[in-house]
Amino acid sequence: MKAAFSEDHQHFLQDLKNKQALWQQYTILLTTVLTPINRERQLFRVLLSANGDAHFKQQLWKLVADEIDTRVDLYNAHFTDKLPRNYALVMNVDGLIGLIEAWLNNPHPESVEHFSQILTASQLIAPLNLLEEN
């Protein structure tokens, strides 16, 4: 994963204003990261399970958190003060890892490409944008 992130950083040309390019770049990166995870679904499912490897989970959490911080810097941006930074980071990291766990445990999972689009949407669409009035 770390190698895929580093490779993506080398080609990072997007800013926050170009949403379409940002969306595409993020989806491509996630496809690259999820492909080997998909090949080893059973192993990752076990590692991330309730009885899995706590050290692996901590390392994964740190890797994702560090990547979010790196991307914030690459965007030349910062977290807003709408939520304290530490809570915003937890919301993002736990959301990504939780969605990956749900995908790994899905008996009929989406393709890597489709799930990459779902993960991208989860990061680029605000939670209230997912709600509509009845």
Side-chain angles (χ1 to χ4, degrees):
M1 276 190 230
K2 198 170 193 170
F5 291 152
S6 293
E7 174 69 21
D8 189 63
H9 298 163
Q10 298 301 316
H11 304 295
F12 199 89
L13 302 171
Q14 310 308 325
D15 63 38
L16 293 175
K17 295 176 185 115
N18 189 345
K19 300 290 187 208
Q20 185 63 30
L22 187 63
W23 190 286
Q24 287 177 320
Q25 182 177 1
Y26 196 61
T27 301
I28 291 167
L29 169 65
L30 288 171
T31 300
T32 301
V33 169
L34 291 171
T35 297
I37 292 173
N38 189 50
R39 278 195 299 263
E40 300 292 337
R41 290 182 78 78
Q42 185 58 34
L43 173 63
F44 278 92
R45 196 177 2 226
V46 169
L47 288 170
L48 293 171
S49 72
N51 296 323
D53 184 342
H55 183 67
F56 175 80
K57 288 181 190 180
Q58 290 170 344
Q59 287 182 308
L60 179 62
W61 202 97
K62 183 174 178 356
L63 176 69
V64 173
D66 289 348
E67 179 59 20
I68 289 171
D69 283 338
T70 298
R71 287 188 174 270
V72 167
D73 288 343
L74 288 170
Y75 297 145
N76 194 30
H78 62 277
F79 283 97
T80 70
D81 59 358
K82 293 177 184 172
L83 281 178
R85 183 195 172 287
N86 60 319
Y87 294 126
L89 189 61
V90 168
M91 183 179 77
N92 281 288
V93 174
D94 286 352
L96 279 168
I97 293 173
L99 286 170
I100 291 170
E101 286 182 69
W103 177 64
L104 289 170
N105 291 313
N106 185 344
H108 305 289
E110 296 80 5
S111 69
V112 168
E113 294 77 14
H114 185 216
F115 186 65
S116 295
Q117 293 171 350
I118 291 169
L119 273 181
T120 299
S122 79
Q123 294 301 292
L124 300 178
I125 297 174
L128 287 178
N129 292 98
L130 298 173
L131 302 176
E132 292 181 348
E133 288 186 38
N134 291 329

